[in-house]
Amino acid sequence: MKKNILEFITVIKHKNGELKITHNLENEANIYKLLREWGFRKSTFKGKKNYFKETIDQKTPVSIIQMRDAFWDFLENEEFINLPEGFSKNDLLNWFLEKNSTRENTLLAHYLQD
């Protein structure tokens, strides 16, 4: 099922009429919720952060880069609906690369903590 892209981005209209893709904390939280839906988790053992992907029968270690790649694939494969008029998939990919919308922070830890 395709997701609404507007859950993950915010479109800002400048005074000159130009539109820009950005994201806020709610959008970022929605990205982490999606990663959790896909099975990504975080745990801490002896003070060390561990990331893994959980499936029905196993847990596989992953890196934060693999989580970023999963969201990149979501954008690249256009697994979303409601892309605002005037924007292309490439605009989304450029936003993703410029803004690093998936990063290791307390928000990610909150949503992925196992």
Side-chain angles (χ1 to χ4, degrees):
M1 179 178 193
K2 292 190 174 194
K3 301 288 185 181
N4 183 352
I5 193 64
L6 297 175
E7 292 179 15
F8 310 108
I9 64 168
T10 298
V11 176
I12 296 175
K13 185 174 184 176
H14 294 284
K15 290 180 182 179
N16 65 3
E18 182 179 312
L19 298 174
K20 180 180 177 180
I21 296 174
T22 187
H23 69 286
N24 56 33
L25 288 177
E26 182 179 348
N27 300 136
E28 191 173 338
N30 288 336
I31 292 170
Y32 302 143
K33 289 175 190 176
L34 182 62
L35 290 172
R36 182 167 186 85
E37 186 178 310
W38 291 339
F40 290 101
R41 302 287 189 273
K42 174 193 174 280
S43 67
T44 305
F45 182 70
K46 294 185 179 181
K48 184 177 179 193
K49 298 173 191 169
N50 299 290
Y51 296 100
F52 58 93
K53 186 168 184 186
E54 189 173 54
T55 59
I56 293 171
D57 57 348
Q58 68 181 14
K59 292 181 181 182
T60 306
V62 297
S63 68
I64 191 80
I65 293 169
Q66 289 170 296
M67 288 188 268
R68 285 184 193 131
D69 289 349
F71 191 72
W72 171 271
D73 291 343
F74 165 78
L75 298 174
E76 176 70 22
N77 297 328
E78 298 184 58
E79 297 174 20
F80 54 82
I81 57 172
N82 295 331
L83 182 63
E85 190 173 318
F87 290 106
S88 68
K89 175 180 76 173
N90 285 339
D91 293 323
L92 283 175
L93 296 175
N94 287 331
W95 156 77
F96 181 79
L97 291 173
E98 290 171 8
K99 298 301 179 184
N100 189 16
S101 59
T102 50
R103 54 198 163 150
E104 195 170 3
N105 59 21
T106 55
L107 196 58
L108 176 134
H110 172 76
Y111 284 101
L112 299 185
Q113 188 65 39
D114 193 40

